Amino acid sequence: MSKIAAVTMVGALALTGCGSNSGGGGGGGSSSGGSASEDVCKSKTDGDGPKIGLAYDVGGRGDQSFNDSAYAGLEKAVEDIDATCVEANAQTDDNDTTRAERLRTLAEGGVNPVIAVGYLYSPAAAQVAPEYPDVDFAVIDGFSTTIAKDATNLADLTFAENEGSYLVGVAAALKSKSGKIGFVGGVDGALIQKFEAGYVAGAKSVKPDIDVEVQYLTQDQNDAAAGYENPSGGKAAAEAMYQDGYDVVYHAAGKSGLGVFQAAAVAGEGNWAIGVDSDQYLTAAEDQQPRILTSMLKRIDTAVFEAGKAVADDSWKSGFVTYDLKSDGVGYSTSGGFVDDVKDQIDEAGDQIKSGEVTVPAEPEK
């Protein structure tokens, strides 16, 4: 297995702020994450439920992945608990100071809870939460509570991405004809390495000698845009893999993964891509759908909704909250029917994880 880091140039995000209905450039909305023509945060302003503030990660709404899944949680909160919401978008040149100011703006705008999408918000949330003790803060994929250890209004909403990735790794190995599969990650760090580790372990549980090519778009922890807002980089990485005979490529790269789907469509029959976070078959272009084998589902929508509901119910819990396979926090999609013939084997692998028979690694093999 080889690992390569390729840094590519990306364009700047459009400048947007609280209440915006658009994220980073292009992509459109998802069926699980709303659409540009339907903005619940602007159309619903008088609900009796909580007013939820959502600070997006780089890429914003329209990434057909991570951020759109968070927006789907807002939609559900508006529908089910009569919530209202305010949105704030990230910029490519963000730092801890600008992220902290974004969270303060939301808190001072009367929202509760404030939910930050992405681990990069962790230092900012740890700084800001103690300043607003009457407002609850949560960070998706965060580690903020390891910094502000005594904050009772701060939670990190995390996921067992390695478990969901294990399942799509099983699918990849079972469907690969060449015995060679690939992984395209965004930023090479602990979070995305969980996806890699689970994917490789799942594939090797089926075919121990399978060849897995791993490529990250950047190793710079401070360059989220190069990792997650970079479709051209994702496309280039996947193209090289397909050309070298790797016939299934899984991405964990946010909006950059849209480029992986483009490459899969060009590679054509016999080649597959695997989506992430939401069921990306449902939002892909028509020519890409036949090439999307499955998606690893990460229920960010559930985490956002439950954070809002916890405020409404006065049941907020601080610290780490983990959504795993057993709690239906992660899983895989079956849209398109491309894994129907191997579904029993994937589900058996899932049962082994739930029972504790299989423990999925959270870090790649050295």
Side-chain angles (χ1 to χ4, degrees):
M1 178 174 69
S2 62
K3 181 180 289 189
I4 304 170
V7 179
T8 48
M9 296 296 292
V10 296
L13 287 174
L15 295 178
T16 50
C18 294
S20 169
N21 68 349
S22 63
S30 76
S31 61
S32 64
S35 64
S37 62
E38 179 186 359
D39 188 340
V40 298
C41 293
K42 286 190 173 181
S43 63
K44 177 70 174 295
T45 60
D46 58 351
D48 292 329
K51 184 177 181 181
I52 302 170
L54 188 67
Y56 289 113
D57 199 0
V58 170
R61 180 136 62 92
D63 67 350
Q64 300 181 13
S65 184
F66 194 64
N67 289 293
D68 277 354
S69 186
Y71 179 73
L74 286 184
E75 289 186 307
K76 181 174 173 60
V78 168
E79 180 178 348
D80 290 6
I81 58 175
D82 203 24
T84 56
C85 48
V86 177
E87 301 167 275
N89 283 311
Q91 311 303 327
T92 55
D93 59 352
D94 273 348
N95 54 40
D96 288 342
T97 299
T98 56
R99 282 186 282 267
E101 284 305 309
R102 186 173 300 123
L103 300 185
R104 288 190 183 97
T105 298
L106 288 170
E108 291 173 3
V111 304
N112 189 20
V114 174
I115 304 172
V117 183
Y119 65 89
L120 289 173
Y121 280 100
S122 295
Q127 178 183 353
V128 173
E131 299 173 7
Y132 300 90
D134 295 330
V135 178
D136 292 317
F137 291 78
V139 183
I140 303 292
D141 288 337
F143 56 88
S144 61
T145 56
T146 66
I147 304 171
K149 297 179 181 180
D150 297 327
T152 59
N153 62 330
L154 182 60
D156 291 306
L157 310 181
T158 62
F159 299 81
E161 297 96 346
N162 52 327
E163 294 182 356
S165 297
Y166 186 97
L167 300 186
V168 299
V170 169
L174 291 172
K175 299 295 285 192
S176 174
K177 301 298 184 184
S178 67
K180 299 168 65 176
I181 63 175
F183 174 82
V184 175
V187 177
D188 187 1
L191 175 61
I192 305 303
Q193 287 174 5
K194 287 173 65 179
F195 293 82
E196 176 197 339
Y199 179 64
V200 173
K204 289 190 172 183
S205 74
V206 175
K207 296 179 180 176
D209 60 347
I210 197 166
D211 181 359
V212 186
E213 175 83 0
V214 175
Q215 180 166 331
Y216 283 87
L217 301 181
T218 181
Q219 292 179 322
D220 185 349
Q221 299 296 305
N222 296 313
D223 195 0
Y228 305 122
E229 178 72 6
N230 185 7
S232 62
K235 182 179 180 181
E239 280 178 339
M241 292 181 184
Y242 291 128
Q243 290 168 4
D244 287 342
Y246 295 84
D247 56 0
V248 185
V249 178
Y250 172 38
H251 89 84
K255 203 168 188 175
S256 303
L258 302 183
V260 175
F261 298 154
Q262 293 167 6
V266 172
E269 191 70 28
N271 295 284
W272 299 101
I274 296 176
V276 75
D277 295 337
S278 61
D279 185 350
Q280 295 197 286
Y281 174 91
L282 300 176
T283 56
E286 187 175 351
D287 66 322
Q288 297 168 9
Q289 286 182 323
R291 305 272 59 84
I292 299 179
L293 179 65
T294 181
S295 296
M296 195 285 280
L297 303 178
K298 178 175 173 179
R299 299 305 303 271
I300 299 165
D301 56 337
T302 297
V304 169
F305 170 76
E306 290 190 353
K309 191 171 185 299
V311 168
D313 295 343
D314 196 24
S315 59
W316 184 266
K317 293 182 179 179
S318 60
F320 281 93
V321 180
T322 300
Y323 296 85
D324 60 10
L325 190 61
K326 187 178 289 188
S327 64
D328 198 28
V330 294
Y332 73 100
S333 66
T334 59
S335 295
F338 305 126
V339 295
D340 287 354
D341 57 332
V342 296
K343 187 176 185 300
D344 288 347
Q345 289 160 279
I346 300 172
D347 290 343
E348 181 181 355
D351 290 340
Q352 291 173 338
I353 295 170
K354 293 175 185 177
S355 70
E357 181 180 347
V358 169
T359 300
V360 182
E363 297 179 355
E365 294 180 357
K366 301 298 184 183

